Amino acid sequence: MTTIDVYNHNVPAESEFGYSQAIKSGDLIHVSGQLSLDKAGEFLYADDFAAQLKQTYVNLDKVLNHYRVTRNQVVSQTLYVVNLRQNAAATAEGNLAYFGDHRPASTVLGVTELTFPGQVIEISFVVDTKLPA
């Protein structure tokens, strides 16, 4: 029987919207879209792409650390970017800095808006725990 392990940051939005930050089922971890929230669940850095991207990666690392997995075990990612043409270079630069030589499958979508006013980036992952760390 497959066990399910759910992870939350314990922020209000999880109960308000009815979701978890991540769920592990078998060898896969599906990580919900992460964004620039602080520990209390407050949205940070409206309209500041670089600061939001940095905080989003911090929050992704919290999920990876919870499951004791590494960035090298991320098999795919989806990035949602407001003003993609304007933020494409910063998106690529941040992605390369975050993953180094690792190259997960990736989809980048340009969107008109995200959940919070001034939110310009959201990233979700799928992780395979069987891959080498």
Side-chain angles (χ1 to χ4, degrees):
M1 174 182 243
T2 300
T3 60
I4 295 176
D5 179 4
V6 175
Y7 171 76
N8 288 301
H9 292 312
N10 298 314
V11 298
E14 294 162 351
S15 60
E16 292 168 4
F17 286 93
Y19 73 98
S20 294
Q21 297 298 332
I23 187 166
K24 181 179 182 225
S25 178
D27 297 330
L28 296 179
I29 303 166
H30 296 271
V31 182
S32 293
Q34 299 295 296
L35 52 139
S36 61
L37 296 178
D38 65 11
K39 291 179 183 180
E42 296 296 317
F43 176 69
L44 304 172
Y45 313 119
D47 298 312
D48 185 336
F49 188 85
Q52 285 186 41
L53 185 61
K54 182 177 178 180
Q55 184 63 42
T56 298
Y57 283 133
V58 166
N59 291 338
L60 285 160
D61 281 343
K62 288 178 188 177
V63 177
L64 298 178
N65 290 338
H66 169 79
Y67 287 107
R68 294 183 178 95
V69 295
T70 72
R71 298 170 186 181
N72 291 333
Q73 292 167 290
V74 174
V75 293
S76 70
Q77 65 174 337
T78 303
L79 297 89
Y80 303 89
V81 180
V82 175
N83 298 321
L84 180 56
R85 287 190 181 105
Q86 174 185 331
N87 293 312
T91 300
E93 181 179 304
N95 191 66
L96 288 168
Y98 185 77
F99 283 110
D101 292 333
H102 181 59
R103 298 289 183 262
S106 182
T107 300
V108 181
L109 302 166
V111 297
T112 57
E113 64 182 5
L114 292 163
T115 304
F116 294 97
Q119 182 185 350
V120 292
I121 183 78
E122 187 163 328
I123 304 172
S124 64
F125 283 169
V126 175
V127 180
D128 186 341
T129 62
K130 291 290 186 184
L131 291 177

